[in-house]
Amino acid sequence: MENDKNILQDTHGRDHTYLRISLIERCNLRCSYCMPEEGVQLSPKSHLMTYEEIYDIAKTFVKHGVTKIRLTGGEPLIRKDIPVILEKLATLPVELSITSNAVIIDKFIDVLKVNGVKNINVSLDSLDEEKFKHITRRNEFKKVYNNILLLVKEGFNVKVNAVLMKDFNDNEIIDFINFTKDLPISVRFIEFMPFDGNKWDISKMVSYKEVMKYVNASFSEKEIERLQDAPNDTSKNYKIKGYKGSFAIISSVTNPFCDSCNRLRLTANGQLKNCLFSSGESDLLTTLRAGKPIEPIIQKAVQAKLKIRGGMNTLEKLQEPKLHNNNRSMITIGG
Ligand code: SAM
């Protein structure tokens, strides 16, 4: 295949310019859709990437055309050396961003600013304190809510991610949209996705179409504005006229955006995943520790990337537990 050697292009012509790095498998919340009730088998500490290894691997990806790095987890901010990781990665020519549950983000405002992090995605699945406690199994609603306000005040670009689940928080869709009335944030409704141990069932998912039904029932056609989606955007973006913020739907299940996928994922234990839905992994860390080049493994993983959702190219296949249950829990992928 004709290919600029520096670019990570797969056999479907997609260039991979975006790397998501999971820094840690642990989290300070216990969201039921993200991790199994009994927890996940954690990697021994020695199997996790050190900050030097994260930097070395990231540098290799940047050499091959990656321009955007997002840090995730687990909860990336509970990693003790997060300031050093940010400092090291900030020396690379990339747009650096982070996904966090924001429970402790108020302690990191300066570190994030100094290292040029502008875009912060915060997970918040309910605006109701009791429901938040139920889904996250922790009593941290007020901190998260206040920290979202703080991030906005401090000038960050904030996106709020809400995973929708039927009969749990679908009745809050309009409350979430009204949350964007006076706040310049983007609320993104995410279709609930299947992973190992999260008791997924398609009947619990709230689809893009269903979200729009709620929206159309509450706002007139004139009030709902369809916004231009950015290239490689995973979301369909909308705005209510006159509102400061916007909202979007991430329809990974009913309307996947695989055609424009530019993402690769690195797990905290140094495994490269070429697709969120694929159970296949390529071990970069062992090779790096052996002092061997990781480029051939990266190229091979990119070449092996399947066209749609790790091979689950129909909704029927996605619903087969034997296909989606081989994949890690989201807490150890990072979203
Ligand atoms: N701790 C950070 C946080 O809470 O944002 C980062 C890690 S978390 C795994 C990243 C994202 O994955 C969150 O926005 C979360 O809502 C999303 N996520 C986890 N499990 C999911 C699922 N089953 N379906 C859809 N999104 C999911």
Side-chain angles (χ1 to χ4, degrees), residues 258-277:
C258 304
D259 281 352
S260 62
C261 183
N262 63 344
R263 286 140 201 257
L264 294 168
R265 292 175 164 82
L266 181 63
T267 65
N269 62 347
Q271 309 295 306
L272 180 64
K273 282 179 76 74
N274 63 11
C275 170
L276 177 59
F277 286 100

Side-chain angles (χ1 to χ4, degrees), residues 66 201 278 285 289:
V66 162
D201 180 325
S278 160
L285 188 57
R289 286 183 177 175

